[in-house]
Amino acid sequence: MRAGLSRARGALARAAQEHAASPPGRLRALRSAFLDAHTDAVYAELTAGRTRGLRLPELAAAAEGAFPGLVPTAAELAADRALEQARKAGHEIDLGIFFRHVLRSPLSGGHLIDTLLRPTERALDLLPGFAAVGRADLGSVRLERRDGVARLTLCRDDCLNAEDERQVDDMETAVDLALLDPAVELCLLRGGEMTHPRYAGKRVFSAGINLKSLHAGDISLVGFLLRRELGYLHKIWRGVRVDDGASWYSPTRAKPWVAAVDTFAIGGGMQLLLVVDHVLAASDAYLSLPAAQEGIIPGVANFRLPRYTGPRLARRIILEGHRIRATDPEARLVVDEVHSPGELDLAVERSLDRLRGPAVAANRKMLNAAEEDVDAFRRYMAEFALEQAVRLYSVDVIGKVGRFSTRATPSPD
């Protein structure tokens, strides 16, 4: 087997050099064919027989070094990253091919999914300080532990909590800290007060992906689009993996989550609601998933939303951009409680009290296991890795660059 992989490795490297100046489709077909035959052997070599856990950028870098021609070089990716989206060469599509094949494999993809559930180094470094004082200001997310509740406040008041790579990193760190701290019983997600003239002094949950960053070329496949879904969103749903000697019982540490929606939950904000246990909304709030209108895929919402709304309404929301007002009857499919803005604070505290108790986490775990099979999630993410990469470089997405490049903040309307 090793001899066959070695020969194939050499053939791939030679083919990559030969077709370096050819249209990209030729080399992509060669890479895909190579991975069709050798994904598990490649992944095993990169991870020392699946004994090492490599995160997405580390895995891509290791593949570049061990299998020349299999993925774009670091120099190619860096050159693309320095450009606006419309001027990039599209090397991330080749990363999408690589991660699609890895995630499609139950063996390799399963190991990668587990690896990405582990806490980040940043969170492990910050954990002693957070456990001691119960507070952490991560930049775009503030975290406070009070009465056993980890309160995560999204505080990008400069852009209505529109999410970029900085916020993805801060959110994953905050989720890790909340799940790892033994003094935390349950968790709350809420948007902070904004300084934007239109929403000054008002809480806003999330304006979704930062479209200005996307079209400026600052939203990457690995650092945002894959990391977000396979990182903090999946950790909220399934828990963070820990090595604490209790793996005979459970390798993950999970807790109940509540989300409170003020003003709006657009795009990624609405996606967040699909992984928490209880959702409250102000009566003047609304929800939407406009990704298809922007030319991209709304993360794992296509996989999860139909469970809540049924397939017909899910298609209206995702394909047609249908907006749901919190007071609409159909809102009750994704929102548990609706209150006037002045009553929301008290309602949030009541909902937190109802989710306390030693058996809540165990029952939550079993409900989530019944609702979402991890292998089905893995298979979805395999296809998402490539489809989203292709979308990033599609003509309709590139054509929107001018529309967003001059905006200081995203427009929720």
Side-chain angles (χ1 to χ4, degrees), residues 120-202:
T120 65
E121 289 298 322
R122 183 187 179 197
L124 293 174
D125 289 342
L126 293 173
L127 181 59
F130 174 70
V133 303
R135 292 186 304 276
D137 188 340
L138 303 173
S140 60
V141 182
R142 290 192 302 268
L143 179 62
E144 180 184 9
R145 184 188 65 235
R146 192 168 73 247
D147 299 326
V149 178
R151 300 166 186 267
L152 286 72
T153 302
L154 288 66
C155 54
R156 287 293 298 277
D157 60 343
D158 60 319
C159 59
L160 304 179
N161 286 327
E163 204 168 12
D164 55 17
E165 295 197 13
R166 166 190 167 189
Q167 189 156 334
V168 166
D169 184 62
D170 290 345
M171 279 293 290
E172 184 164 12
T173 303
V175 168
D176 284 348
L177 291 172
L179 294 176
L180 291 170
D181 182 3
V184 170
E185 185 178 1
L186 63 162
C187 311
L188 170 68
L189 285 166
R190 196 170 184 185
E193 292 185 1
M194 299 290 107
T195 57
H196 185 284
R198 189 171 178 182
Y199 299 95
K202 290 192 64 175

Side-chain angles (χ1 to χ4, degrees), residues 140-394:
S140 60
V141 182
R142 290 192 302 268
L143 179 62
E144 180 184 9
R145 184 188 65 235
R146 192 168 73 247
D147 299 326
V149 178
R151 300 166 186 267
L152 286 72
T153 302
L154 288 66
C155 54
R156 287 293 298 277
D157 60 343
D158 60 319
C159 59
L160 304 179
N161 286 327
E163 204 168 12
D164 55 17
E165 295 197 13
R166 166 190 167 189
Q167 189 156 334
V168 166
D169 184 62
D170 290 345
M171 279 293 290
E172 184 164 12
T173 303
V175 168
D176 284 348
L177 291 172
L179 294 176
L180 291 170
D181 182 3
V184 170
E185 185 178 1
L186 63 162
C187 311
L188 170 68
L189 285 166
R190 196 170 184 185
E193 292 185 1
M194 299 290 107
T195 57
H196 185 284
R198 189 171 178 182
Y199 299 95
K202 290 192 64 175
R203 285 182 180 266
V204 167
F205 190 70
S206 175
I209 192 170
N210 190 312
L211 293 170
K212 182 179 178 182
S213 294
L214 171 64
H215 295 290
D218 293 330
I219 297 292
S220 71
L221 178 70
V222 169
F224 184 101
L225 296 163
L226 292 181
R227 180 181 177 182
R228 183 176 188 273
E229 307 300 333
L230 294 167
Y232 82 81
L233 284 176
H234 197 212
K235 288 174 176 178
I236 290 173
W237 179 263
R238 206 167 300 277
V240 64
R241 287 187 68 91
V242 292
D243 296 314
D244 59 359
S247 58
W248 64 268
Y249 170 62
S250 175
T252 57
R253 187 174 297 165
K255 295 171 183 177
W257 289 81
V258 172
V261 179
D262 299 274
T263 311
F264 48 72
I266 300 173
M270 186 172 178
Q271 293 168 38
L272 261 170
L273 307 184
L274 306 180
V275 294
V276 303
D277 303 289
H278 195 81
V279 178
L280 302 94
S283 55
D284 59 353
Y286 68 85
L287 321 174
S288 67
L289 284 169
Q293 286 68 54
E294 308 304 341
I296 57 176
I297 299 167
V300 188
N302 304 54
F303 178 65
R304 292 179 173 137
L305 183 63
R307 293 204 303 260
Y308 292 85
T309 65
R312 303 315 308 176
L313 180 55
R315 287 173 183 271
R316 286 177 58 206
I317 294 169
I318 293 172
L319 302 183
E320 301 176 30
H322 176 64
R323 178 183 292 186
I324 298 178
R325 300 281 176 184
T327 52
D328 292 342
E330 60 196 13
R332 294 308 300 267
L333 297 171
V334 287
V335 175
D336 299 287
E337 302 179 49
V338 178
H339 299 273
S340 68
E343 296 174 342
L344 191 58
D345 288 353
L346 182 58
V348 167
E349 297 306 316
R350 290 197 300 261
S351 73
L352 291 169
D353 286 340
R354 291 195 301 270
L355 284 172
R356 295 181 189 271
V360 171
N363 280 281
R364 175 191 189 273
K365 175 183 177 181
M366 300 311 298
L367 284 166
N368 286 8
E371 284 186 31
E372 183 173 304
D373 177 69
V374 68
D375 280 329
F377 169 75
R378 173 186 54 77
R379 291 191 297 270
Y380 176 91
M381 285 304 303
E383 300 311 310
F384 173 81
L386 184 53
E387 288 292 340
Q388 189 74 299
V390 171
R391 284 275 85 219
L392 285 178
Y393 297 93
S394 297

Side-chain angles (χ1 to χ4, degrees), residues 61-84:
E64 178 198 350
F67 295 89
L70 182 58
V71 296
T73 66
E76 289 172 328
L77 291 170
D80 252 10
R81 187 61 193 267
L83 301 174
E84 293 182 351

